[in-house]
Amino acid sequence: MRLSKLFKNAPTVNITGLCSDSRKVKPGNIYFCLPGITHDGHDFINQALENGAKCIVHSKKLEEMKSGAVYIRVDDVIDAMNQCARLFYSKPADKMLMYGVTGTNGKSTISNIIRNIRNTIEPCGYIGTISIEYGNIKLAPDLTTPDPLVLHKTMSDMVQKGMKACALEVSSHGLAQHRVDAIKFDVAIFTNFTYDHLDFHGTLDNYFEAKSLLFKNLVKQDGVSILNVDDEKYEDLRSISRAKVISYGIDRECDYRAINVVIDSHYSRFDLVYGGKTYKVKTNLVATYNIYNLLASIAALHETGMDLQEIIDQCEHLPQIDGRLEQIDLGQPYHVVVDFAHTPDGMEKIMQFGRQICKDKKLIAVFGSAGKRDIAKRKVFGEIADQYCDLIILTEDDPRDEDPKEIADQIKEGIKSTQNIFIEDRYEAIRQAVENANEGDAILLLGKGDESFIYRENGRAPWIGDNVAVKECIEKYTNQAA
């Protein structure tokens, strides 16, 4: 593409690609000098030029401008990169129906429900924490919300493969760092707002302000904001949304409401009240928080043209989302649930479900807390587990360069009465849970889901995944007296 198509009054030199990492620049690329917390992209211009950069986009005054490259100074490099990515990849988001999902918990579940049901009428892609998926292609995830260059390239690939819609998880980091500024969403979905990511945002107010950007920036005339009426931030988001607001919930009157909710260990059913009519819904999703996730998905799909009864019919047999309330059943006499829960709210909700399915039997939880992340929530994890569990097995969970034992000790500060042990090796911790489980008990494996890696001191190390590990342990170590 010609540089003149990306910047007004720029020369008509040919641009081969876009890059913000000087180490990865290839001949003919534009290099964007991004500001950073620890590094400034302006400091690496020479490296970018040595690797063949044809154009340097910068915001600071440069002392030296070497010949052979075009220098373009802008007020905001991030904004320029967003707009360039959109144009360079031929405006891919404009060619798909774009669903953006944000909130503390539930983003992956809602995005996957939307993709799976939308796929029944037209091809729909997904970008998020679990993976990048479109058509028969499944790729490892980048970030929950990738940086603009990766994001627009991925959406371009989706369009080329025939995708007509895309469900995108929009993280608070992604919003705060302006990764989706060049995407005009058709639908913005809010799940819930609870404590998380204060290591990045600093305060809950900053965290909420980041989340709210998705709704402030929803500028399409026919755009829709799908909001959880039972969440305390509903009114705040309703007041700032620039698009039509559609509400969903259970406890309060709203546009899409679930009443008469019945939840079993392997299915749920409820009456959906919409437009003065009542519809019977049965789903293989379980736990109350998944009813909210399903309501949000139904609302988003229906508001974008799908027949309501067709959506409801698809809810009964939704594909299992790996690592999200994934129930492992190999015929063992106890329950096993693998879940990605890594926030206090998510932890409490999955433990409430665990207590519900094991009733007066033993509830065993295996979890830790990520290193180099929000330290304050560790004690809170202990307090929550202390309230619901009969046995707590603390273990590693992406410790990075922190000592897993020290992390466990901080979690233990919140545990007052529940029996607990620390087993650093995650596989051995899962094995211990299986060996302690008897008939009717429930094991919760929390924090990693189906992730195939663990971040340790020397970086990303392979991990077979909690779901794979527990299956092996069930077959080898199930208590025969259970």
Side-chain angles (χ1 to χ4, degrees), residues 1-15 17-19 28-34 54-59 70-88 149:
M1 177 176 283
R2 299 294 184 185
L3 183 62
S4 55
K5 291 185 177 297
L6 301 176
F7 292 97
K8 290 182 179 179
N9 303 318
T12 57
V13 298
N14 189 51
I15 296 300
L18 313 177
C19 194
N29 281 187
I30 295 178
Y31 172 63
F32 296 91
C33 303
L34 293 183
K54 180 66 70 174
C55 173
I56 305 296
V57 178
H58 60 103
S59 60
V70 178
Y71 291 81
I72 298 178
R73 188 173 181 180
V74 297
D75 292 331
D76 187 331
V77 176
I78 295 175
D79 181 63
M81 185 173 72
N82 270 289
Q83 298 308 321
C84 283
R86 178 173 180 264
L87 294 172
F88 187 83
L149 303 184

Side-chain angles (χ1 to χ4, degrees), residues 121-238:
I121 65 166
E122 64 179 5
C124 181
Y126 159 70
I127 301 172
T129 307
I130 298 174
S131 60
I132 295 171
E133 296 186 45
Y134 51 98
N136 60 359
I137 294 173
K138 183 173 183 178
L139 305 172
D142 184 65
L143 301 169
T144 295
T145 308
D147 77 60
L149 303 184
V150 174
L151 185 54
H152 286 268
K153 171 65 166 62
T154 301
M155 291 189 297
S156 175
D157 292 342
M158 286 184 172
V159 170
Q160 291 178 32
K161 289 293 184 180
M163 296 303 108
K164 303 299 182 183
C166 176
L168 171 63
E169 292 187 48
V170 186
S171 67
S172 59
H173 292 66
L175 286 161
Q177 295 177 345
H178 304 283
R179 298 176 199 163
V180 297
D181 282 8
I183 297 176
K184 296 178 181 178
F185 288 97
D186 297 277
V187 181
I189 302 165
F190 171 70
T191 64
N192 46 56
F193 181 80
T194 61
Y195 179 106
D196 197 18
H197 297 312
L198 296 197
D199 56 318
F200 178 80
H201 296 288
T203 67
L204 282 172
D205 286 342
N206 291 342
Y207 178 37
F208 177 70
E209 178 62 27
K211 292 289 187 189
S212 69
L213 291 174
L214 184 62
F215 305 92
K216 289 179 179 178
N217 297 334
L218 191 59
V219 296
K220 281 194 172 181
Q221 285 189 339
D222 57 351
V224 183
S225 293
I226 309 289
L227 306 180
N228 180 353
V229 74
D230 294 333
D231 191 272
E232 63 179 17
K233 294 297 185 180
Y234 169 76
E235 291 295 341
D236 292 333
L237 289 174
R238 186 182 65 82

Side-chain angles (χ1 to χ4, degrees), residues 19 41 56 95 115 146 189 220 237 242 298 308-309 313 338 349 397 420 448 460 479:
C19 194
I56 305 296
K95 300 172 184 176
R115 182 194 179 227
I189 302 165
K220 281 194 172 181
L237 289 174
R242 298 176 63 180
I298 291 171
L308 186 55
Q309 190 58 56
D313 291 343
V338 175
K349 285 177 177 175
D397 179 346
N420 62 88
K448 293 296 293 176
R460 187 162 158 160
N479 181 354

Side-chain angles (χ1 to χ4, degrees), residues 257-378:
R257 186 181 185 186
I259 62 173
N260 303 323
V261 178
V262 176
I263 297 175
D264 198 88
S265 59
H266 288 88
Y267 74 91
S268 304
R269 65 174 184 267
F270 59 89
D271 293 330
L272 172 65
V273 180
Y274 168 77
K277 296 182 180 180
T278 301
Y279 302 81
K280 297 289 184 182
V281 180
K282 184 177 181 181
T283 179
N284 55 330
L285 296 179
V286 294
T288 301
Y289 65 84
N290 267 334
I291 303 303
Y292 281 96
N293 292 335
L294 188 59
L295 287 170
S297 306
I298 291 171
L301 291 162
H302 186 228
E303 293 297 321
T304 49
M306 282 196 70
D307 179 78
L308 186 55
Q309 190 58 56
E310 287 184 11
I311 298 168
I312 291 169
D313 291 343
Q314 294 295 323
C315 293
E316 187 166 356
H317 300 292
L318 290 166
Q320 168 66 52
I321 302 170
D322 292 341
R324 267 58 176 182
L325 215 158
E326 182 178 355
Q327 299 197 60
I328 307 296
D329 187 356
L330 301 183
Q332 78 277 2
Y334 48 86
H335 306 277
V336 176
V337 178
V338 175
D339 195 80
F340 190 62
H342 60 288
T343 67
D345 180 65
M347 184 84 73
E348 181 158 30
K349 285 177 177 175
I350 193 66
M351 287 185 178
Q352 287 172 344
F353 175 71
R355 179 50 63 193
Q356 181 183 6
I357 60 175
C358 74
K359 299 180 173 60
D360 59 348
K361 298 291 186 176
K362 188 166 55 183
L363 180 61
I364 305 169
V366 179
F367 66 93
S369 189
K372 295 300 182 183
R373 295 295 183 268
D374 192 353
I375 295 174
K377 70 181 180 183
R378 295 172 184 174

